Amino acid sequence: MTVLSIIRDCLDALLHPSARYDALTRARHRAFMAPRLLGSLAAFAAFPVYLAMRGAPSAVEVAAFAWLIAPIMLSWFLSRTGRYEGAHVLSSLALAGLIMAVATTTGGIDSFAAVWLVVVPLEAALSASRRVAAFASLLALSCAGILILISQLGWLPVAEPSAMERGVLMAFGVASATLYAAGLAFGAESLARTSVALLSREEERYRLLARNMSDVISRHQRNGAVQFISPAAEAMLGISVMQLHGHGLFDRVHVADRPAYLTALSDAARGDVRSVEFRLRREPVGAERNQVDFIWVEMRCRPLDQDLGRDATREAEVVGVMRDITDRKLQEQALDRARSAAEAADAAKTRFLATMSHELRTPLNAIIGFSEMIAQEQTLMLGAAQRKEYAQLINDSGQHLLSVVNGILDMSKMESGNFEIASEPFAPRASLMHCCNLLALKARENGIDLITDAPQDLPVMTGDPRAFKQIVLNLVANAIKFTERGGQVTVSAAASASQLTLRISDTGVGIAPDDLKRIGAPFFQCGKTYERRHEGTGLGLSIVKSLVALHLGDLTVQSRLGEGTAVTVKLPLVYTPPQAKPAENKIATLTPVPRPETPEQLHDQPALVKKSA
């Protein structure tokens, strides 16, 4: 441990508590106390030597030594109170008093001590206070004026030193004042170096924070112009900080969010604390250079100075802290979609219960009623023909129940992903003709012409033959169901190099544009004008849509109300099961998704004419 370290530790122990936690204040207090303590101790140690060499001192000499030891009291004052400016004022008074005492006994204004008056304001300059420096300057000028006045009035002692003594004393006064001023200069330089070092350290600390913070700190004028923005903006937006100065940041705010952005800054400039969420355009990189990518940010704004009202001419400024909240917005949108899906599922459940209450109760009532009548055939005296008729009605009702249950089970399997495609080669023409033959009787009973156009050279395709038949049966049965007597249903098939195209068209009631958008939703039945005229669960087209999708095909519905409907199904000739692909890491681009007003709107897609499976 060096002597300087010991001295510094001793001085730090004497510092006032208010000066121990600020490096610059600590350095100033230490610079004030160190020379005064050392000077006073040196004077105190030199006093016995002076007595041994001089003998009995005069009253003036005793006063001078006492004044040299007095700075110990100034150090004690600063150590106890921490009042740095007050200590400098007292130091200026003590130094001026010592100079006046010596000068009045050694020639007044012509004294060698008068030159020390220049040192008084120089010493006060170390206080870094204009008030203290002004006071010390006035004090030195006042002392000089007093010395001139008493010299002119002849109030000085008569005894005058010889020319040689006056020269020696003047040289001593100039040399000592110069050395003291040099000490003050070195002290000022040391404080300045300490101040610069502390400032550089603080700047480096804040620069480190600004560079490594994920949040972006910015300083704005009231109109939104950026005066400063932290380097974190480069990582957030992918462009340099200089491009965001002025109105560069405003130009990257989404047009729809600019009013909210400017309103928040304006409110913050008036003294309020505001928080606003808006979208910022991020500079795309790599393969995304042709895309427009926006991120969501949250900016909290507050006024730069809480006392702006005191200066009416100063323009209000705002400090903003921006944070990327894109992930949170994505989660919110996912929650909204999940909530909409839950609402849609609840509405589907309601429709399902309403549909099932009718579809199940009607055949069950028939089964129970006719079976009770057969059980009481002796009481009711039923004949063989009636028993046969009732048994047939019971069988028809049971078959209807079975088809309803099978449709529900198939739909459940498809929605849960448990429906498996049993792929095998089969002849699509034979399956198509078989389905049309099964429905030909129903078409004749309804007075509808069922026309089948299937070329003999349709190639063999690979897929699930049972699913293919279910697609054809559901589509043709729907076409027959919704075609009035005297109408026509046409079933055609054609093959290209890689796919089979089925087209089922009718001249029936057609589908309204609003209903066309929701075709294929489970348990959805079109139009109030005809939904009660035809039985059904609303699962037929939904099952078809799912089966076509499982075969990697495409389904298109074209219809006009009152003119008929055409359903086109395109299936690959060779079904290839899709391979599971690992999830790719992509940068999510957030676009505003309006929340559906009703659960049914969840199924609404932008296309009005084409419905793809």
Side-chain angles (χ1 to χ4, degrees), residues 151-414:
S151 297
Q152 294 297 326
L153 296 177
W155 292 352
L156 296 175
V158 179
E160 293 185 1
S162 63
M164 181 178 295
E165 290 179 346
R166 186 183 297 111
V168 171
L169 291 175
M170 186 60 67
F172 172 76
V174 172
S176 59
T178 303
L179 291 175
Y180 193 80
L184 294 177
F186 280 111
E189 188 274 336
S190 177
L191 286 177
R193 188 170 62 250
T194 301
S195 178
V196 170
L198 292 175
L199 180 61
S200 178
R201 189 184 307 167
E202 289 296 319
E203 288 182 350
E204 184 62 28
R205 182 184 304 170
Y206 287 118
R207 191 178 296 112
L208 179 65
L209 290 175
R211 287 177 178 174
N212 292 278
M213 282 182 62
S214 58
D215 293 352
V216 177
I217 302 175
S218 54
R219 180 176 176 180
H220 304 257
Q221 294 180 352
R222 188 168 187 169
N223 61 357
V226 176
Q227 294 181 315
F228 166 80
I229 191 166
S230 62
E234 297 183 358
M236 179 183 289
L237 300 178
I239 61 174
S240 65
V241 169
M242 296 304 299
Q243 293 179 267
L244 298 174
H245 284 182
H247 293 284
L249 180 64
F250 174 78
D251 293 339
R252 306 190 77 82
V253 177
H254 195 281
V255 176
D257 299 332
R258 290 179 181 179
Y261 169 78
L262 292 177
T263 301
L265 291 175
S266 179
D267 291 344
R270 289 195 293 267
D272 299 331
V273 177
R274 287 289 180 264
S275 182
V276 61
E277 296 179 358
F278 55 92
R279 286 160 290 180
L280 277 177
R281 188 176 76 253
R282 180 174 56 185
E283 194 69 21
V285 295
E288 300 178 348
R289 289 203 175 274
N290 295 327
Q291 301 178 3
V292 177
D293 188 14
F294 283 89
I295 62 172
W296 278 96
V297 298
E298 178 185 27
M299 183 170 72
R300 188 168 181 83
C301 310
R302 66 173 182 82
L304 178 63
D305 187 359
Q306 298 293 344
D307 299 327
L308 285 177
R310 299 179 182 176
D311 188 359
T313 61
R314 182 179 176 184
E315 184 180 0
E317 295 181 355
V318 176
V319 173
V321 179
M322 289 186 292
R323 176 173 299 176
D324 188 346
I325 58 169
T326 304
D327 292 339
R328 193 187 79 190
K329 281 292 184 178
L330 288 173
Q331 293 175 0
E332 290 177 358
Q333 289 190 0
L335 288 176
D336 286 341
R337 288 193 294 268
R339 182 165 48 249
S340 299
E343 292 172 354
D346 184 68
K349 180 192 71 175
T350 303
R351 291 196 303 270
F352 169 75
L353 293 176
T355 303
M356 289 300 101
S357 65
H358 174 74
E359 292 295 327
L360 297 180
R361 188 180 299 162
T362 301
L364 282 175
N365 287 336
I367 292 172
I368 294 172
F370 288 116
S371 61
E372 288 178 350
M373 294 178 69
I374 293 176
Q376 301 175 10
E377 61 176 336
Q378 294 181 352
T379 304
L380 297 177
M381 301 180 65
L382 298 177
Q386 288 179 315
R387 288 197 303 274
K388 182 178 180 182
E389 179 184 0
Y390 294 165
Q392 184 60 44
L393 290 174
I394 292 172
N395 181 267
D396 292 342
S397 298
Q399 292 294 334
H400 177 68
L401 280 177
L402 179 62
S403 65
V404 170
V405 173
N406 285 336
I408 295 173
L409 293 177
D410 288 342
M411 196 66 225
S412 299
K413 288 181 180 179
M414 293 175 190

